[in-house]
Amino acid sequence: MHDLIELAKDVKGLMEQWSDIGESRDRLRALQTRANQIHKVRELIDDLKDARVILMRAGVELRKGPSASRQLIKKCQKVREGFEKDWEKTARDKTLNPYFIDPVKAHVENKIDRELKQDWSEFIDRLSPPISNRWLNGLPDNGPIGDAKGKATIHFEELRKLRSVLPNEVDTVERVREITEQAKDIFSELDEIPEPVRSFLASASTTGAKMDDLTKEVRAWLTKNEMIERLRIRFG
């Protein structure tokens, strides 16, 4: 979107040129409106360029990025020429929004921004262990396992927040790597728990487990992990 950046510079120059002419306030307001609209898109483009540089510097795999269509590039060139020839006519043109500004904004938000966020999310997903909320919810909330579950929950909540916005510094990417490594260690610990034991612990820590659920396998695991002494039996 090089042409849009140059257009923003041109409009800014016009603003500086007309800012001290009192009798031209109405003309200046028309230019100001267009300048604000164009610069909002320019700022979004700049933010995405900065985020892309940060991700590449941190070693995140990115796609090449979507290019603007020839039609959109021609529109940008035409609008720039319009400001150079007759800026007031171009600034007051009621079709400028649907013809140029809205399509440019849509391209930036629906293609450039969306694709970059997808690459960022996929990077986090590749590093993260295969833990789902349903899997975590099946574990008890107390004891050593509950502690590990709590840590995993905190890690995944932080990752959820980090993936919702593009990073503005390399340290954010490094933080993601750090969290996912810690989460993998916790997952390795929790994933070793046999399914019958997980089911028993989940029931015992909530509604209560049945005697039939306390199989030899479950008793052996509880004994090995020094949890059998914490087991209590009550009538429902």
Side-chain angles (χ1 to χ4, degrees):
M1 300 305 293
H2 174 75
D3 288 314
L4 179 68
I5 294 173
E6 294 302 315
L7 172 60
K9 290 179 181 178
D10 293 343
V11 176
K12 183 179 180 181
L14 286 169
M15 287 293 300
E16 293 172 350
Q17 177 182 343
W18 287 89
S19 61
D20 58 347
I21 304 179
E23 64 272 16
S24 302
R25 289 179 181 176
D26 183 59
R27 303 173 72 194
L28 183 61
R29 276 196 296 270
L31 182 59
Q32 176 90 54
T33 299
R34 293 306 183 194
N36 289 341
Q37 292 173 335
I38 292 172
H39 275 278
K40 282 182 180 178
V41 182
R42 161 74 189 274
E43 288 172 359
L44 180 56
I45 292 174
D46 287 343
D47 289 344
L48 291 173
K49 286 175 63 178
D50 291 343
R52 187 176 185 85
V53 169
I54 288 169
L55 291 171
M56 293 178 66
R57 189 181 301 161
V60 177
E61 184 178 343
L62 301 175
R63 286 168 282 185
K64 182 179 179 180
S67 300
S69 65
R70 290 183 180 180
Q71 183 182 20
L72 193 58
I73 293 173
K74 287 182 179 180
K75 286 182 178 181
C76 192
Q77 293 171 343
K78 185 175 180 180
V79 171
R80 188 180 177 191
E81 291 171 0
F83 272 101
E84 291 174 351
K85 293 178 181 179
D86 190 339
W87 69 261
E88 184 175 6
K89 179 182 178 181
T90 304
R92 293 182 183 278
D93 186 354
K94 295 182 179 180
T95 66
L96 191 62
N97 270 54
Y99 171 78
F100 170 67
I101 295 177
D102 292 344
V104 170
K105 186 178 179 183
H107 173 75
V108 174
E109 293 180 341
N110 299 335
K111 292 186 178 180
I112 301 177
D113 181 67
R114 180 180 296 177
E115 186 174 292
L116 199 57
K117 285 180 177 176
Q118 285 176 346
D119 290 343
W120 172 234
S121 296
E122 289 171 4
F123 167 76
I124 295 176
D125 290 342
R126 285 195 298 271
L127 294 181
S128 302
I131 300 179
S132 66
N133 286 331
R134 183 177 180 181
W135 190 89
L136 278 176
N137 291 337
L139 299 175
D141 294 323
N142 48 21
I145 296 175
D147 292 341
K149 174 184 176 180
K151 291 177 182 177
T153 302
I154 291 173
H155 286 327
F156 283 102
E157 176 61 21
E158 185 174 356
L159 284 175
R160 185 188 65 79
K161 292 179 180 178
L162 288 172
R163 70 180 292 161
S164 65
V165 293
L166 291 169
N168 55 15
E169 57 183 3
V170 174
D171 287 347
T172 302
V173 184
E174 296 307 315
R175 176 58 182 161
V176 166
R177 289 192 171 105
E178 179 184 356
I179 297 172
T180 52
E181 283 302 313
Q182 293 172 357
K184 285 178 183 177
D185 292 340
I186 297 172
F187 176 72
S188 296
E189 176 185 343
L190 296 176
D191 196 42
E192 294 176 356
I193 304 174
E195 177 59 35
V197 176
R198 282 207 301 267
S199 177
F200 176 83
L201 291 172
S203 298
S205 62
T206 54
T207 59
K210 298 179 181 179
M211 287 296 296
D212 290 344
D213 297 330
L214 189 60
T215 63
K216 289 183 179 180
E217 179 184 9
V218 173
R219 284 182 61 89
W221 189 93
L222 293 174
T223 301
K224 180 181 178 181
N225 289 272
E226 299 179 352
M227 294 180 66
I228 194 70
E229 296 300 322
R230 297 176 54 210
L231 185 61
R232 299 291 184 270
I233 299 175
R234 292 186 177 89
F235 283 107

